[in-house]
Amino acid sequence: MKNFKTFWLLSFLIPLLISCSKEEAIDQSIEGSYVGYLSAIDAQAISPVEAQADVQIVEDHLVEIHCYSESLDTIVRLNYYANNEDYMLCLSGDDFEHEYGHAMSHENMPSNMMGETEWRYHLENEHSEGDEHFGKFGMADHSFECLFEINHQDQSYELHFQGVKQ
């Protein structure tokens, strides 16, 4: 009977430990420095400039991105959601409410989503069709891309960062 209890306990704990360490390892792998280029959207006259983005996980499903070049130095915080082998980005907090016209519901994702990704769950519960999103981490090629909306001296423009992890 004691062996049966030990077997039952181990059969429950081992998958749980493997699951937690796998998710933690994937999350941690998005952290780091990405080197690439910033390009202006809708401004063909401006050439891409070299840039770097330093990514750090600051909370569960929240990253801080410090993107800088010779002409830009900005820090943003974005939520990230697993989407198969990638991680997708979306605004957080007041930025989310300003962009989409409503606050996030703060619903916790169910632990068993029956094959649904965190990203799909987020889209279905927080967004309308056609809502714009702001980037992703490509886990297969260690890439990162992000769209930055810049407001400076009564001018608004968008810059697109695309880089690879160093």
Side-chain angles (χ1 to χ4, degrees):
M1 184 69 163
K2 185 176 180 179
N3 286 341
F4 178 73
K5 286 182 183 178
T6 303
F7 174 76
W8 181 84
L9 182 62
L10 287 175
S11 67
F12 174 75
L13 287 177
I14 289 174
L16 180 63
L17 292 173
I18 291 170
S19 169
C20 291
S21 64
K22 181 180 177 187
E23 182 178 323
E24 202 171 286
I26 292 171
D27 286 356
Q28 296 301 321
S29 69
I30 65 176
E31 287 187 307
S33 295
Y34 295 80
V35 175
Y37 292 91
L38 273 173
S39 311
I41 306 296
D42 297 331
Q44 285 101 13
I46 299 173
S47 298
V49 296
E50 290 183 7
Q52 181 166 328
D54 297 327
V55 177
Q56 178 180 11
I57 296 172
V58 293
E59 289 178 26
D60 184 35
H61 286 86
L62 183 69
V63 291
E64 182 174 273
I65 301 163
H66 179 202
C67 187
Y68 50 97
S69 70
E70 62 185 47
S71 59
L72 175 76
D73 190 348
T74 190
I75 296 174
V76 296
R77 286 186 170 199
L78 298 169
N79 290 321
Y80 66 95
Y81 301 91
N83 186 33
N84 299 316
E85 293 185 18
D86 295 331
Y87 282 88
M88 308 301 287
L89 294 170
C90 188
L91 297 172
S92 63
D94 291 341
D95 293 332
F96 181 94
E97 189 169 348
H98 175 73
E99 178 74 21
Y100 303 116
H102 64 90
M104 288 183 67
S105 67
H106 299 291
E107 280 186 31
N108 290 329
M109 285 176 263
S111 58
N112 183 359
M113 294 186 286
M114 305 277 288
E116 186 174 35
T117 66
E118 290 175 351
W119 181 244
R120 180 65 44 209
Y121 183 85
H122 169 74
L123 291 176
E124 290 174 2
N125 290 285
E126 303 293 349
H127 288 284
S128 300
E129 191 170 326
D131 281 354
E132 183 176 11
H133 288 91
F134 296 87
K136 75 174 193 169
F137 294 95
M139 302 309 288
D141 60 1
H142 307 287
S143 65
F144 168 60
E145 64 180 275
C146 190
L147 181 66
F148 296 95
E149 292 183 341
I150 307 297
N151 297 307
H152 181 68
Q153 298 177 348
D154 296 330
Q155 289 184 328
S156 294
Y157 56 96
E158 294 179 332
L159 294 173
H160 179 254
F161 175 83
Q162 190 162 2
V164 177
K165 190 173 185 179
Q166 296 299 296

